Amino acid sequence: MTSLTVTINGRAYGPQNVRDDLTMNDFLREYLGMTGTKFGCGAAQCLSCAVIIDDPGRASFTSPTCIVPAVRFDGKSIRTVEGHAKDGALTPLQKAFIAHFAFQCGYCTPGFLNEGQVLLERLARDPIIRADVEKTVAEALDGHLCRCTGYIKYHQAVRDVILADPARYLRSS
């Protein structure tokens, strides 16, 4: 058993003793009742289980949770899909996913949403030129698998959020 303290969606949890082999996915779902993070392949290949890790002073990034022990997240601050909407208001990215019907079964949606959010945050700090939007979105979402083959709609949704706010995400040259 190892003690785990973690901040999830702005709320501190722990210290709590957990088994050393308990995955973060199981901790989120079984200990905290946060079922938005999905268990897909169990091998960190589909990334439906990806959460956002906020590293103070550095850029946020995503991490799979299905094979990563919860204790590896000790002391970290993470965001799950449950942490996106604020006071019942969806984010522009969530709204774009709905507008594009960027899901079928929705199983992979949390991973795509978290990865898309990390991309938007990165572009807000370091905008790109318009000509690089398609390539940048494709590279960011690469590795996320959708069994229903909804890739185009996910890509379109992220792209449209970027293009809807060019002052924030794009630079002229």
Side-chain angles (χ1 to χ4, degrees):
M1 297 288 271
T2 301
S3 180
L4 171 66
T5 301
V6 63
T7 301
I8 303 171
N9 302 325
R11 181 175 170 201
Y13 294 89
Q16 183 169 3
N17 287 331
V18 297
R19 295 184 334 265
D20 292 339
D21 64 343
L22 179 75
T23 66
M24 181 49 106
N25 192 281
D26 287 344
F27 179 74
L28 290 169
R29 298 176 66 79
E30 295 173 16
Y31 282 62
L32 303 181
M34 294 182 178
T35 58
T37 301
K38 303 302 182 201
F39 181 87
C41 66
Q45 297 299 305
C46 72
L47 300 177
S48 63
C49 67
V51 297
I52 300 171
I53 299 178
D54 294 314
D55 192 358
R58 300 182 65 188
S60 297
F61 59 95
T62 60
S63 172
T65 60
C66 67
I67 63 169
V68 181
V71 296
R72 285 227 193 123
F73 290 84
D74 187 45
K76 297 199 182 310
S77 178
I78 69 170
R79 286 181 276 162
T80 67
V81 69
E82 289 94 347
H84 287 271
K86 299 292 183 223
D87 299 321
L90 298 178
T91 66
L93 187 57
Q94 288 173 307
K95 290 176 185 176
F97 274 32
I98 292 169
H100 284 277
F101 196 71
F103 48 84
Q104 285 183 39
C105 75
Y107 216 77
C108 62
T109 304
F112 275 103
L113 183 67
N114 286 334
E115 199 70 61
Q117 184 62 42
V118 166
L119 173 62
L120 293 175
E121 292 169 11
R122 186 184 90 209
L123 295 180
R125 286 186 316 277
D126 187 18
I128 58 173
I129 60 172
R130 168 66 179 91
D132 290 342
V133 170
E134 298 296 333
K135 178 182 89 162
T136 302
V137 171
E139 288 172 353
L141 300 181
D142 185 40
H144 287 265
L145 301 180
C146 173
R147 294 179 183 186
C148 303
T149 67
Y151 300 103
I152 292 171
K153 293 177 181 184
Y154 284 118
H155 287 233
Q156 289 172 336
V158 175
R159 180 198 65 217
D160 286 359
V161 171
I162 294 167
L163 296 178
D165 196 352
R168 182 173 189 179
Y169 301 118
L170 301 177
R171 59 182 166 83
S172 58
S173 60

